[in-house]
Amino acid sequence: MSGMDMDKRGPEGGEGCLTTVIRIPVRIVVLLVVVPVRMVWDVLGVCGRFLDRVLLRPLGRALGWVGDTLLLPAGRAVAWLARGLVRYAVVVPAVFVYRWVLAPVGRGIAWLGRGLAGAVVWMVTTLIVTPLAWLFRTVLRPLGRGVGLVLWAVFVWPWAALYRWVLTPLYVHVLTPLGHGALWLGKAVVRVLVVVPAVFVYRWVLRPVGRGLVAVGREIVAAAEVAWRVAGYVSRAVGRALKWLAWNLLGRPAAWFYRTVCVPVGHAVRDHVWRPARKAAAEAGRAAKAALVSAGEAVRRARRDAWRALVGGAPARQPLEPSPVPARTLGSTTTAPGAAPAPEISLRKRG
Protein backbone atom coordinates (compact mmCIF):
# COMPACT_ATOMS: atom_id res chain seq x y z
CA MET A 1 0.00 0.00 0.00
CA SER A 2 1.50 3.38 -0.97
CA GLY A 3 1.89 6.27 1.44
CA MET A 4 -0.83 8.42 -0.17
CA ASP A 5 -3.49 5.72 -0.56
CA MET A 6 -6.44 6.26 1.68
CA ASP A 7 -7.24 3.29 3.83
CA LYS A 8 -10.97 2.59 3.44
CA ARG A 9 -11.27 -0.48 5.61
CA GLY A 10 -14.34 -0.46 7.77
CA PRO A 11 -15.16 -2.25 10.99
CA GLU A 12 -14.84 -5.58 9.13
CA GLY A 13 -11.11 -4.89 8.58
CA GLY A 14 -10.38 -4.42 12.28
CA GLU A 15 -10.65 -0.55 12.46
CA GLY A 16 -13.53 1.53 13.66
CA CYS A 17 -15.26 4.44 11.98
CA LEU A 18 -13.38 6.88 14.27
CA THR A 19 -10.06 5.85 12.69
CA THR A 20 -11.44 6.32 9.17
CA VAL A 21 -12.90 9.73 10.03
CA ILE A 22 -9.75 11.21 11.65
CA ARG A 23 -7.23 9.77 9.16
CA ILE A 24 -7.53 12.33 6.31
CA PRO A 25 -7.55 15.55 8.49
CA VAL A 26 -4.65 14.25 10.59
CA ARG A 27 -2.58 13.46 7.49
CA ILE A 28 -3.29 16.86 5.94
CA VAL A 29 -2.31 18.73 9.13
CA VAL A 30 0.82 16.64 9.65
CA LEU A 31 1.84 17.13 5.97
CA LEU A 32 1.53 20.91 6.34
CA VAL A 33 3.68 20.80 9.48
CA VAL A 34 6.31 18.35 8.21
CA VAL A 35 7.01 19.80 4.73
CA PRO A 36 8.86 22.95 6.01
CA VAL A 37 10.73 20.84 8.57
CA ARG A 38 11.88 18.39 5.88
CA MET A 39 12.99 21.20 3.57
CA VAL A 40 14.97 22.83 6.38
CA TRP A 41 16.46 19.43 7.19
CA ASP A 42 17.59 18.89 3.58
CA VAL A 43 19.09 22.41 3.40
CA LEU A 44 21.00 21.81 6.63
CA GLY A 45 22.24 18.47 5.25
CA VAL A 46 23.55 20.15 2.08
CA CYS A 47 25.23 22.90 4.12
CA GLY A 48 26.75 20.31 6.44
CA ARG A 49 28.17 18.28 3.55
CA PHE A 50 29.58 21.46 1.98
CA LEU A 51 31.21 22.54 5.26
CA ASP A 52 32.60 19.04 5.75
CA ARG A 53 34.11 18.96 2.26
CA VAL A 54 35.42 22.56 2.23
CA LEU A 55 36.39 23.23 5.86
CA LEU A 56 36.30 20.28 8.22
CA ARG A 57 38.20 17.71 6.13
CA PRO A 58 41.11 20.09 5.22
CA LEU A 59 41.19 21.31 8.82
CA GLY A 60 41.28 17.72 10.09
CA ARG A 61 44.09 16.82 7.68
CA ALA A 62 46.03 19.94 8.72
CA LEU A 63 45.57 19.13 12.41
CA GLY A 64 46.62 15.54 11.78
CA TRP A 65 49.74 16.72 9.95
CA VAL A 66 50.58 19.14 12.78
CA GLY A 67 50.06 16.37 15.35
CA ASP A 68 52.12 13.80 13.45
CA THR A 69 54.86 16.18 12.34
CA LEU A 70 55.26 18.57 15.28
CA LEU A 71 53.36 17.60 18.40
CA LEU A 72 54.14 13.87 18.44
CA PRO A 73 57.94 14.27 18.06
CA ALA A 74 57.90 17.13 20.57
CA GLY A 75 55.90 15.01 23.01
CA ARG A 76 58.31 12.12 22.59
CA ALA A 77 61.28 14.39 23.22
CA VAL A 78 59.64 15.90 26.30
CA ALA A 79 58.74 12.41 27.58
CA TRP A 80 62.33 11.22 27.04
CA LEU A 81 63.70 14.25 28.89
CA ALA A 82 61.15 13.81 31.69
CA ARG A 83 62.03 10.11 32.09
CA GLY A 84 65.74 10.93 32.21
CA LEU A 85 65.20 13.78 34.66
CA VAL A 86 62.97 11.73 36.94
CA ARG A 87 65.33 8.76 36.84
CA TYR A 88 68.56 10.58 37.56
CA ALA A 89 67.18 13.41 39.71
CA VAL A 90 64.60 11.50 41.81
CA VAL A 91 64.71 7.73 41.47
CA VAL A 92 68.47 7.15 41.72
CA PRO A 93 68.95 9.44 44.80
CA ALA A 94 65.82 7.98 46.43
CA VAL A 95 67.06 4.40 45.89
CA PHE A 96 70.48 5.33 47.31
CA VAL A 97 68.94 6.98 50.40
CA TYR A 98 66.58 4.03 50.94
CA ARG A 99 69.27 1.37 50.48
CA TRP A 100 72.07 2.94 52.56
CA VAL A 101 70.18 5.12 55.10
CA LEU A 102 66.52 4.28 55.61
CA ALA A 103 66.75 0.48 55.38
CA PRO A 104 69.55 0.13 58.01
CA VAL A 105 67.84 2.65 60.31
CA GLY A 106 64.52 0.84 59.87
CA ARG A 107 66.03 -2.56 60.66
CA GLY A 108 67.62 -1.14 63.82
CA ILE A 109 64.36 0.48 64.92
CA ALA A 110 62.49 -2.78 64.23
CA TRP A 111 64.98 -4.76 66.32
CA LEU A 112 64.64 -2.30 69.22
CA GLY A 113 60.83 -2.33 68.84
CA ARG A 114 60.67 -6.13 68.98
CA GLY A 115 62.79 -6.13 72.14
CA LEU A 116 60.72 -3.42 73.84
CA ALA A 117 57.44 -5.06 72.80
CA GLY A 118 58.52 -8.40 74.23
CA ALA A 119 59.47 -6.76 77.53
CA VAL A 120 56.18 -4.83 77.72
CA VAL A 121 54.14 -7.98 76.92
CA TRP A 122 55.93 -9.96 79.63
CA MET A 123 55.37 -7.21 82.20
CA VAL A 124 51.68 -6.81 81.31
CA THR A 125 51.10 -10.58 81.36
CA THR A 126 52.88 -11.06 84.70
CA LEU A 127 51.55 -8.02 86.54
CA ILE A 128 48.02 -7.57 85.16
CA VAL A 129 46.64 -10.42 83.05
CA THR A 130 47.55 -13.32 85.35
CA PRO A 131 46.06 -11.70 88.53
CA LEU A 132 42.91 -10.65 86.69
CA ALA A 133 42.41 -14.14 85.27
CA TRP A 134 42.77 -15.70 88.75
CA LEU A 135 40.28 -13.17 90.17
CA PHE A 136 37.75 -13.95 87.38
CA ARG A 137 37.97 -17.73 87.80
CA THR A 138 37.82 -17.85 91.57
CA VAL A 139 35.55 -14.91 92.51
CA LEU A 140 33.67 -13.16 89.72
CA ARG A 141 32.38 -16.18 87.75
CA PRO A 142 30.75 -18.00 90.75
CA LEU A 143 29.30 -14.68 91.96
CA GLY A 144 27.84 -13.91 88.51
CA ARG A 145 26.19 -17.34 88.26
CA GLY A 146 24.45 -16.85 91.56
CA VAL A 147 23.25 -13.35 90.70
CA GLY A 148 21.96 -14.63 87.32
CA LEU A 149 19.90 -17.39 88.94
CA VAL A 150 18.36 -14.90 91.37
CA LEU A 151 17.46 -12.48 88.60
CA TRP A 152 15.94 -15.29 86.47
CA ALA A 153 13.77 -16.44 89.32
CA VAL A 154 12.62 -12.92 90.19
CA PHE A 155 12.17 -11.19 86.79
CA VAL A 156 12.20 -13.66 83.89
CA TRP A 157 10.29 -16.75 85.03
CA PRO A 158 7.00 -14.96 85.90
CA TRP A 159 6.80 -13.32 82.46
CA ALA A 160 7.66 -16.56 80.68
CA ALA A 161 4.92 -18.38 82.57
CA LEU A 162 2.42 -15.62 81.80
CA TYR A 163 3.23 -15.81 78.05
CA ARG A 164 3.07 -19.63 77.93
CA TRP A 165 -0.05 -20.27 80.01
CA VAL A 166 -2.14 -17.12 79.45
CA LEU A 167 -1.23 -15.10 76.33
CA THR A 168 -0.64 -18.00 73.93
CA PRO A 169 -4.06 -19.71 74.55
CA LEU A 170 -5.79 -16.31 74.35
CA TYR A 171 -4.16 -15.52 70.96
CA VAL A 172 -4.76 -18.97 69.48
CA HIS A 173 -8.36 -19.50 70.55
CA VAL A 174 -9.78 -15.94 70.65
CA LEU A 175 -7.80 -13.33 68.75
CA THR A 176 -6.98 -15.44 65.67
CA PRO A 177 -10.63 -16.31 64.83
CA LEU A 178 -11.64 -12.68 65.36
CA GLY A 179 -8.83 -11.47 63.05
CA HIS A 180 -9.84 -13.93 60.29
CA GLY A 181 -13.45 -12.77 60.46
CA ALA A 182 -12.48 -9.10 60.34
CA LEU A 183 -10.17 -9.75 57.37
CA TRP A 184 -12.93 -11.54 55.44
CA LEU A 185 -15.35 -8.72 56.16
CA GLY A 186 -12.82 -6.09 55.02
CA LYS A 187 -12.15 -7.99 51.76
CA ALA A 188 -15.87 -8.16 51.05
CA VAL A 189 -16.33 -4.42 51.70
CA VAL A 190 -13.37 -3.50 49.50
CA ARG A 191 -14.58 -5.78 46.71
CA VAL A 192 -18.09 -4.32 46.74
CA LEU A 193 -17.14 -0.66 47.21
CA VAL A 194 -13.84 -0.44 45.23
CA VAL A 195 -13.06 -3.38 42.95
CA VAL A 196 -16.43 -3.79 41.25
CA PRO A 197 -16.81 -0.03 40.39
CA ALA A 198 -13.18 0.13 39.24
CA VAL A 199 -13.66 -2.87 36.94
CA PHE A 200 -16.85 -1.34 35.54
CA VAL A 201 -15.15 2.03 34.88
CA TYR A 202 -12.12 0.34 33.26
CA ARG A 203 -14.19 -2.00 31.08
CA TRP A 204 -16.81 0.46 29.84
CA VAL A 205 -15.01 3.85 30.02
CA LEU A 206 -11.19 3.72 30.16
CA ARG A 207 -10.59 0.85 27.75
CA PRO A 208 -12.71 2.34 24.89
CA VAL A 209 -11.14 5.77 25.44
CA GLY A 210 -7.67 4.20 25.49
CA ARG A 211 -8.34 2.31 22.28
CA GLY A 212 -9.48 5.55 20.65
CA LEU A 213 -6.36 7.40 21.83
CA VAL A 214 -4.14 4.54 20.60
CA ALA A 215 -5.88 4.66 17.21
CA VAL A 216 -5.39 8.44 17.05
CA GLY A 217 -1.73 8.09 17.99
CA ARG A 218 -1.19 5.33 15.43
CA GLU A 219 -2.79 7.49 12.75
CA ILE A 220 -0.64 10.47 13.76
CA VAL A 221 2.51 8.35 13.48
CA ALA A 222 1.45 6.93 10.11
CA ALA A 223 0.56 10.42 8.88
CA ALA A 224 3.95 11.72 10.04
CA GLU A 225 5.72 8.96 8.09
CA VAL A 226 3.69 9.67 4.94
CA ALA A 227 4.19 13.43 5.33
CA TRP A 228 7.94 12.94 5.81
CA ARG A 229 8.17 10.99 2.54
CA VAL A 230 6.01 13.52 0.69
CA ALA A 231 8.11 16.36 2.16
CA GLY A 232 11.19 14.58 0.84
CA TYR A 233 9.70 14.49 -2.64
CA VAL A 234 8.76 18.17 -2.40
CA SER A 235 12.20 19.12 -1.08
CA ARG A 236 13.95 17.21 -3.87
CA ALA A 237 11.68 18.84 -6.46
CA VAL A 238 12.44 22.31 -5.06
CA GLY A 239 16.15 21.46 -5.05
CA ARG A 240 16.04 20.30 -8.68
CA ALA A 241 14.17 23.48 -9.65
CA LEU A 242 16.74 25.67 -7.88
CA LYS A 243 19.55 23.70 -9.54
CA TRP A 244 17.92 24.14 -12.98
CA LEU A 245 17.50 27.88 -12.37
CA ALA A 246 21.10 28.24 -11.19
CA TRP A 247 22.41 26.38 -14.24
CA ASN A 248 20.33 28.38 -16.72
CA LEU A 249 20.95 31.73 -15.02
CA LEU A 250 24.62 31.32 -14.07
CA GLY A 251 26.17 28.05 -15.25
CA ARG A 252 25.08 28.04 -18.88
CA PRO A 253 26.11 31.72 -19.54
CA ALA A 254 29.41 31.12 -17.75
CA ALA A 255 30.09 27.98 -19.83
CA TRP A 256 29.16 29.82 -23.04
CA PHE A 257 31.42 32.75 -22.11
CA TYR A 258 34.27 30.36 -21.29
CA ARG A 259 33.91 28.42 -24.58
CA THR A 260 33.31 31.39 -26.88
CA VAL A 261 35.48 34.09 -25.26
CA CYS A 262 37.99 32.77 -22.74
CA VAL A 263 39.22 29.76 -24.75
CA PRO A 264 39.90 31.70 -28.03
CA VAL A 265 41.49 34.59 -26.13
CA GLY A 266 43.64 32.16 -24.17
CA HIS A 267 44.76 30.35 -27.30
CA ALA A 268 45.56 33.67 -29.02
CA VAL A 269 47.57 34.87 -26.01
CA ARG A 270 49.40 31.55 -25.85
CA ASP A 271 50.21 31.42 -29.58
CA HIS A 272 50.91 35.12 -30.30
CA VAL A 273 52.22 36.48 -26.96
CA TRP A 274 53.43 33.79 -24.59
CA ARG A 275 55.32 31.51 -27.00
CA PRO A 276 57.14 34.37 -28.85
CA ALA A 277 57.99 36.00 -25.53
CA ARG A 278 59.32 32.74 -24.13
CA LYS A 279 61.34 32.09 -27.33
CA ALA A 280 62.77 35.62 -27.24
CA ALA A 281 63.66 35.24 -23.55
CA ALA A 282 65.43 31.95 -24.29
CA GLU A 283 67.40 33.54 -27.15
CA ALA A 284 68.31 36.49 -24.95
CA GLY A 285 69.45 34.14 -22.21
CA ARG A 286 71.69 32.19 -24.59
CA ALA A 287 73.15 35.42 -25.99
CA ALA A 288 73.82 36.75 -22.49
CA LYS A 289 75.47 33.49 -21.50
CA ALA A 290 77.75 33.61 -24.58
CA ALA A 291 78.61 37.25 -23.84
CA LEU A 292 79.48 36.39 -20.22
CA VAL A 293 81.71 33.53 -21.38
CA SER A 294 83.53 35.81 -23.88
CA ALA A 295 83.96 38.54 -21.25
CA GLY A 296 85.37 36.04 -18.75
CA GLU A 297 87.88 34.76 -21.33
CA ALA A 298 88.95 38.35 -22.14
CA VAL A 299 89.46 39.11 -18.44
CA ARG A 300 91.59 35.97 -17.95
CA ARG A 301 93.69 36.82 -21.02
CA ALA A 302 94.24 40.40 -19.78
CA ARG A 303 95.26 39.09 -16.34
CA ARG A 304 97.83 36.72 -17.86
CA ASP A 305 99.25 39.51 -20.08
CA ALA A 306 99.56 41.83 -17.10
CA TRP A 307 101.34 39.11 -15.09
CA ARG A 308 103.83 38.49 -17.90
CA ALA A 309 104.47 42.22 -18.23
CA LEU A 310 105.26 42.43 -14.50
CA VAL A 311 107.37 39.30 -13.93
CA GLY A 312 108.41 38.43 -17.48
CA GLY A 313 108.56 34.98 -18.97
CA ALA A 314 107.66 33.21 -22.09
CA PRO A 315 104.29 34.00 -23.55
CA ALA A 316 101.70 31.51 -22.51
CA ARG A 317 100.16 29.33 -25.09
CA GLN A 318 96.96 30.80 -26.28
CA PRO A 319 94.06 28.47 -25.92
CA LEU A 320 92.47 27.38 -29.07
CA GLU A 321 89.28 29.32 -29.46
CA PRO A 322 86.41 27.32 -30.76
CA SER A 323 85.81 28.12 -34.36
CA PRO A 324 82.45 29.56 -35.00
CA VAL A 325 79.99 27.25 -36.52
CA PRO A 326 79.67 28.18 -40.17
CA ALA A 327 76.39 29.00 -41.62
CA ARG A 328 74.62 26.46 -43.63
CA THR A 329 76.17 26.24 -47.09
CA LEU A 330 75.20 24.53 -50.22
CA GLY A 331 76.78 21.26 -49.28
CA SER A 332 76.39 21.42 -45.47
CA THR A 333 73.48 20.66 -43.16
CA THR A 334 74.85 22.58 -40.13
CA THR A 335 72.93 25.64 -39.03
CA ALA A 336 74.46 28.33 -36.78
CA PRO A 337 72.31 30.62 -34.60
CA GLY A 338 71.74 33.94 -36.34
CA ALA A 339 72.93 32.74 -39.78
CA ALA A 340 70.44 32.90 -42.58
CA PRO A 341 70.01 29.57 -44.32
CA ALA A 342 71.39 29.48 -47.86
CA PRO A 343 69.09 28.44 -50.62
CA GLU A 344 69.62 24.89 -51.65
CA ILE A 345 70.21 25.31 -55.39
CA SER A 346 72.40 23.32 -57.69
CA LEU A 347 75.53 24.85 -59.32
CA ARG A 348 75.08 22.69 -62.29
CA LYS A 349 74.65 24.78 -65.40
CA ARG A 350 71.31 24.48 -66.96
CA GLY A 351 71.32 23.32 -70.53
Side-chain angles (χ1 to χ4, degrees):
M1 181 184 297
S2 63
M4 296 298 295
D5 292 339
M6 299 303 172
D7 195 354
K8 298 181 179 180
R9 292 178 298 173
E12 295 80 9
E15 296 183 355
C17 59
L18 179 62
T19 302
T20 306
V21 169
I22 67 173
R23 176 170 296 158
I24 296 176
V26 167
R27 292 193 176 184
I28 293 174
V29 173
V30 172
L31 179 62
L32 295 177
V33 173
V34 171
V35 167
V37 176
R38 180 58 186 267
M39 295 182 67
V40 172
W41 177 265
D42 292 340
V43 171
L44 292 178
V46 172
C47 295
R49 288 192 294 272
F50 176 76
L51 291 177
D52 178 68
R53 186 181 301 111
V54 174
L55 179 62
L56 297 180
R57 290 182 184 176
L59 182 60
R61 287 194 292 268
L63 293 178
W65 179 85
V66 169
D68 296 336
T69 307
L70 300 178
L71 299 181
L72 187 60
R76 290 175 179 171
V78 171
W80 181 80
L81 291 176
R83 285 197 298 270
L85 182 62
V86 170
R87 181 177 181 181
Y88 292 103
V90 178
V91 176
V92 173
V95 170
F96 176 81
V97 171
Y98 172 77
R99 182 177 297 172
W100 300 105
V101 178
L102 298 179
V105 172
R107 286 193 289 269
I109 293 174
W111 181 79
L112 291 176
R114 286 194 297 270
L116 292 176
V120 170
V121 168
W122 181 82
M123 292 178 63
V124 170
T125 303
T126 305
L127 298 179
I128 298 176
V129 176
T130 302
L132 289 178
W134 177 83
L135 179 63
F136 175 76
R137 285 194 304 270
T138 57
V139 178
L140 296 179
R141 187 165 59 185
L143 182 61
R145 288 178 179 176
V147 172
L149 290 175
V150 172
L151 292 176
W152 168 261
V154 174
F155 296 100
V156 178
W157 183 84
W159 292 104
L162 177 63
Y163 174 77
R164 179 174 296 178
W165 303 106
V166 177
L167 296 180
T168 300
L170 180 63
Y171 172 77
V172 172
H173 299 290
V174 178
L175 296 180
T176 300
L178 290 177
H180 286 231
L183 181 62
W184 179 84
L185 181 61
K187 288 181 179 180
V189 171
V190 169
R191 181 179 179 84
V192 172
L193 297 180
V194 178
V195 176
V196 173
V199 170
F200 175 82
V201 172
Y202 170 75
R203 180 175 298 172
W204 300 104
V205 178
L206 296 180
R207 188 165 63 182
V209 173
R211 288 178 178 175
L213 293 177
V214 169
V216 171
R218 189 183 298 113
E219 290 301 323
I220 292 175
V221 172
E225 294 177 355
V226 173
W228 186 259
R229 290 195 293 270
V230 173
Y233 298 147
V234 174
S235 177
R236 282 193 289 272
V238 172
R240 293 192 186 98
L242 293 176
K243 182 179 179 181
W244 182 83
L245 288 176
W247 169 250
N248 286 278
L249 294 178
L250 299 176
R252 191 182 298 278
W256 176 85
F257 180 78
Y258 174 77
R259 288 194 304 268
T260 58
V261 178
C262 294
V263 173
V265 171
H267 290 173
V269 170
R270 181 192 63 188
D271 296 335
H272 300 288
V273 178
W274 173 248
R275 286 180 178 174
R278 186 175 61 181
K279 185 176 180 181
E283 294 294 337
R286 285 195 291 269
K289 184 177 180 181
L292 290 176
V293 171
S294 300
E297 184 62 30
V299 170
R300 286 193 294 271
R301 186 180 300 111
R303 188 174 64 246
R304 286 195 297 269
D305 293 340
W307 179 256
R308 284 196 303 273
L310 290 175
V311 301
R317 183 180 179 183
Q318 297 294 331
L320 296 177
E321 295 183 358
S323 60
V325 180
R328 185 174 181 182
T329 59
L330 295 176
S332 175
T333 58
T334 305
T335 303
E344 297 182 358
I345 58 176
S346 177
L347 296 178
R348 187 169 54 185
K349 189 177 182 180
R350 296 182 180 178

